[in-house]
Amino acid sequence: MQKLFDGLIGWVGRGVRWADRHLRFLDLRLNRTRGGILGQEARHTVAAVFLPAMLVFFIVNGPSLRPTWRLALAVLAAVASGFLFLSMLRLGLRRRHSFFRDVVVQSLLIAAVAVAVWLLASENARERDQTLLYRHVLLALTALMISAVLLGSVLAVRLFGSERGRTRVPERLRQVELFVSLPDPPPVTGWMFVLAAAGAVVASPGRVLFPPALFALFVEREFLTWTFVGVLVVNLVLLAFASLDPRFSGSWNLQHRIFFSGWSALVSVGVIVVGVCRVADVQYVSTLFDGARNYTLAGYLLAGYMLTWWFDYWTSAPAAIRLLDLIGGRGGADDARIDYPIDPATPLTSVPAEHRMIQVHGAGRLLVLHDHGGAITYFHSYSPTEMASVLSAGLPEKNLVRADLEWVKWRLAAHFLVTSAIVVLLFGGAGWLLHRLPQQPHIGPSGGASPPTRDAASVILPAEVCAGTTPVIAIAASGGGTRAALYTTAILERLHQQGQLRHVRVVSGVSGGGAALAYFVSHWPRLLGTDSAAWDEFFTAMKKPYIEDVLDGSGEWRIAADHRLGHLLADSFERHWGDNRRKTMADVDDIGLILNSAIAGRFVREVGDDNKAPIGVIERRSGRSGSSDVAGGRVVYTNLELPDHFGKAVLIEEKEPRVTRDTRLPVFVVNGGHVRLSDAAAANANFPPVFSNVAIDRNHDLRLWVTDGGAIDNRGTETLLMALRHAVQAVKGTKRCPTLPTIHVIEVEASAFSDSYSQDRGLGSMMAAGTAFASQLDAEVLEDLRRQSNGGVRFHYLPMPRLLRRSGSFGTHWMMQERITVCRDPQCRSRITLRGDDVVQVLRALDKSSLPESASASAKRAHEFILHDERELKPNWDRLSACLRAAKDGC
């Protein structure tokens, strides 16, 4: 066993030494200034061309890398700008322009491109539009970075402006050997390797976690754990060897310099946090990244790195230039290179004393090299601070040269501290100004005469249902994202196949179920017909990758300025639901629709506020924070004429209605005919924390901040029962409806299912309490409704099979997964992997004994499991069908 381990260590060690040689020379070729890729006289690296060209690419394209004509235009712009940047740098070199002028010229060129994009893009252009240009947040971020770069460069010009050290430090340079002879690594034993790996974890956890976390952002869910563990093990092996081999340590540190130096470290820390959270299956991080396209993630990540790398280059390279200026003692090192004369009496390495030079290397490093006829064999790189430390090493405490070099290190630290402070102040100030902008409402008040909404009793209990034995069907559809939307669609299709869909008079939904119901009522006439393609289109629409549209568009400027992500979800619904449909609440007059949001807070116009200004402007100008006194209540979007709070009496009387301490369930009704169905569906599916709270301006004087309706109860049954009770009270005993019809309430439940228990210090009780109390409320309102209707109310519970809604299987994010792993038991000892289309096929056949022969083997197996494990599923549906057919007498 020991021989096997020693052989493995030896084999890995040879690979590490091979990698060391290639990494060091790759760094030399890519980051060298004079004699590098840009030519023998260049004072910049290729990064000075590549990074601004990539910035131009993202300025033109935006952060999302979705394949469009805009992407092609951005590539052309990047290539053209790259040649322009190269030409300007060469022109500056020929005309002996200062290094500072290169910074200014390049910054102004980038700023000109950003301004051109801003002006040419329409104010209403969106990322998803066919227009080539749109306004996005990178335009503003680039402007802020350009300002920070220019201010930092001005500081760098005067970094070592005094004469201090210009005589003594160059003399010290002649007495110090800057080339390093690294010792051969010691023989590595097993225990040395294990301890070195453990030391790497303790000493630099960021370096340990970054590579596996980066991979974790892009792999599919089913390969996530093994990919993370595999990359983590490989990285630990390399870090262990780096701690044992000084030469390889320098090479492997290149990765650390790229991703953890300067402001790029902030991006890398973000990668680690979200990558680890995704592996740990933190729900909302998983939801976000499971639903995002890889090219979208790559675009945002690359844009962040390019912006920070460009800033770090132009704040670090001038500092290195100024240090060369100081230690060269000649008062000007804008050619990025000085000679490195060495005193013959100085103890030397094997590097010859002649042809030694020091030049700027990469983003602010200094390269010591021996250049004889263009053949570079000996070289070593330092950061400016490291070089100052090496030059001061061994000097007495009171030595004047040592004091000069300590002053140099202090000035370098102060330079980078001040440039960082500039970035913080610029971005913090910009963030504060954006925060002060009035937020645009997700749904605003009607701008004028709004088409009237329909009387609830006339829609739910029309005269024809009171005259015969026709039943009234009311449906409550739960939340659960794509899963709930597809299950709701399947139930509606089944009712249509049974000939009962025309009896549906009112529907109420939350989140995914609410979105499906909004689509349903918008296509109601066509879905009632005989065109089977309409139902196929319904299922296709519910499978659309809405979260991808949201993430692609999240970089739009309006989202950073005065809109919220919920607007993007509404736009995606509007885009994917087709044009040939009913689009507003005013268009729906033959069926009642109730969509439910949860209230987080409200803002009220007070006496003394400007009565002409919009409520959003008053919210920002007043300095008042609003009130959370109605948090936990409902906002109901409906086409029905319903009173606030469904007419419930208050529990605590208040003289001032604007500030209430009422303990009833607050329900605010938004029923203007101008309300778009897509906006109402998005507001009801605005799940936190991916989507922040959106503003609903109920009227001129009241703004409500709302979140996903499932935040307080994921079923939406309580508002449906209250609306039914309101309608029954309005017609009971009247001539129009002397005999109430049978009312069938169907609860379509697709919430995540988990019945396992583990110690959670009370969190489980806190999270489940809302549902428990809502169930009690539903039961009491249902009982009251039954009394008022003389017992003519039937309640039917249709839960989605547990196999498909067990926690951790069929996702709730707004995108159908390509592959879905469903578990037959909580421990997932028996599992099936299905395609998204397999799940749809199973859902559409839950009331059947078998699937078609064309179905996949996995789909058939899952269908068999469901029929076996959910023994009451088909009988329950059969009883419901018989009950509906028999109207009053069959239940």
Side-chain angles (χ1 to χ4, degrees), residues 169-179 340-343 346-348 356 358 368 382 387 389-393 395 405:
V169 173
E171 287 300 320
R172 176 61 179 171
L173 178 64
R174 297 173 58 86
Q175 302 165 9
V176 177
E177 173 61 279
L178 293 176
F179 286 98
Y340 172 26
I342 193 77
D343 192 327
T346 301
L348 302 178
R356 293 178 172 219
I358 305 175
V368 184
Y382 294 91
M387 179 165 284
S389 297
V390 171
L391 291 175
S392 64
L395 292 174
L405 290 169

Side-chain angles (χ1 to χ4, degrees), residues 18 74 96 235 243 258 302 332 345 353 438 451 473 551 565 630 662 697 748 823 839 854 863:
W18 178 88
R96 308 301 297 171
N235 191 41
S243 65
I258 292 171
L302 278 174
I473 298 177
L551 294 176
L565 286 177
V630 292
D662 187 9
D697 289 354
V748 181
C823 300
V839 173
S854 59
H863 189 260

Side-chain angles (χ1 to χ4, degrees), residues 42 110 119 130 206 271 338 340 359 401 415 442 444 489 585 593 615 682 694 696 763-764 863:
I110 296 172
L119 294 177
Q130 296 301 314
V271 169
I338 63 172
Y340 172 26
Q359 65 184 49
V401 179
H415 169 72
H442 186 85
T489 306
M585 291 292 183
L593 172 65
I615 187 70
V694 296
I696 305 297
L763 291 177
H863 189 260

Side-chain angles (χ1 to χ4, degrees), residues 492-564:
L492 293 171
E493 184 185 38
R494 238 172 289 170
L495 289 171
H496 176 62
Q497 292 168 349
Q498 295 287 337
Q500 300 293 340
L501 194 63
R502 67 184 184 277
H503 299 145
V504 176
R505 305 304 310 169
V506 61
V507 293
S508 172
V510 171
S511 196
L517 294 178
Y519 181 98
F520 168 64
V521 300
S522 70
H523 293 81
W524 166 263
R526 187 168 175 230
L527 290 170
L528 281 178
T530 58
D531 185 5
S532 61
W535 287 95
D536 294 334
E537 292 170 9
F538 194 173
F539 280 98
T540 299
M542 293 301 101
K543 292 191 300 179
K544 291 293 184 180
Y546 300 109
I547 193 64
E548 290 184 348
D549 289 353
V550 171
L551 294 176
D552 284 348
S554 60
E556 293 178 13
W557 171 247
R558 59 173 177 149
I559 302 303
D562 56 2
H563 286 64
R564 298 295 172 97

Side-chain angles (χ1 to χ4, degrees), residues 205-499:
R207 295 176 65 185
V208 172
L209 291 173
F210 177 73
L214 182 62
F215 274 84
L217 297 182
F218 296 97
V219 298
E220 296 292 338
R221 165 62 55 184
E222 59 186 304
F223 308 119
L224 179 59
T225 302
W226 287 111
T227 300
F228 183 87
V229 172
V231 177
L232 179 65
V233 169
V234 171
N235 191 41
L236 271 176
V237 169
L238 294 174
L239 286 173
F241 270 99
S243 65
L244 295 171
D245 185 344
R247 184 179 296 276
F248 180 65
S249 177
S251 300
W252 198 241
N253 266 333
L254 296 175
Q255 177 243 145
H256 180 73
R257 289 181 181 275
I258 292 171
F259 294 104
F260 286 94
S261 63
W263 282 94
S264 60
L266 193 63
V267 182
S268 298
V269 169
V271 169
I272 293 172
V273 170
V274 297
V276 171
C277 286
R278 188 180 180 215
V279 173
D281 200 21
V282 175
Q283 181 182 0
Y284 289 110
V285 174
S286 297
T287 297
L288 189 63
F289 283 88
D290 288 351
R293 297 179 176 94
N294 279 347
Y295 58 71
T296 298
L297 295 178
Y300 281 92
L301 196 59
L302 278 174
Y305 275 123
M306 293 302 164
L307 197 60
T308 54
W309 285 338
W310 182 76
F311 172 81
D312 290 336
Y313 180 88
W314 283 113
T315 52
S316 299
I321 287 284
R322 297 279 69 84
L323 182 59
L324 279 185
D325 172 48
L326 174 67
I327 65 177
R330 58 193 174 113
D334 275 334
D335 54 357
R337 182 173 184 172
I338 63 172
D339 293 328
Y340 172 26
I342 193 77
D343 192 327
T346 301
L348 302 178
T349 59
S350 58
V351 181
E354 300 80 14
H355 310 295
R356 293 178 172 219
M357 297 163 191
I358 305 175
Q359 65 184 49
V360 174
H361 186 65
R365 283 183 291 157
L366 297 171
L367 183 70
V368 184
L369 71 159
H370 179 264
D371 187 353
H372 183 50
I376 308 299
T377 307
Y378 307 102
F379 59 91
H380 192 77
S381 66
Y382 294 91
S383 71
T385 303
E386 288 171 346
M387 179 165 284
S389 297
V390 171
L391 291 175
S392 64
L395 292 174
E397 188 71 28
K398 301 295 184 179
N399 187 278
L400 293 178
V401 179
R402 183 185 182 93
D404 288 340
L405 290 169
E406 291 299 324
W407 171 78
V408 166
K409 290 192 286 185
W410 176 84
R411 295 284 290 184
L412 287 169
H415 169 72
F416 292 113
L417 178 63
V418 172
T419 54
S420 297
I422 290 172
V423 173
V424 171
L425 289 174
L426 286 173
F427 278 78
W432 182 82
L433 291 174
L434 287 176
H435 177 71
R436 298 299 301 165
L437 289 177
Q439 288 294 311
Q440 295 299 314
H442 186 85
I443 297 175
S446 59
S450 179
T453 49
R454 276 69 184 177
D455 177 68
S458 299
V459 174
I460 299 174
L461 299 170
E464 58 267 24
V465 304
C466 297
T469 59
T470 303
V472 168
I473 298 177
I475 296 176
S478 79
T482 301
R483 177 185 65 225
L486 288 170
Y487 184 58
T488 301
T489 306
I491 294 297
L492 293 171
E493 184 185 38
R494 238 172 289 170
L495 289 171
H496 176 62
Q497 292 168 349
Q498 295 287 337

Side-chain angles (χ1 to χ4, degrees), residues 741-758:
T742 301
I743 300 174
H744 296 275
V745 179
I746 301 175
E747 183 176 302
V748 181
E749 173 65 279
S751 301
F753 170 77
S754 176
D755 57 359
S756 59
Y757 166 77
S758 60

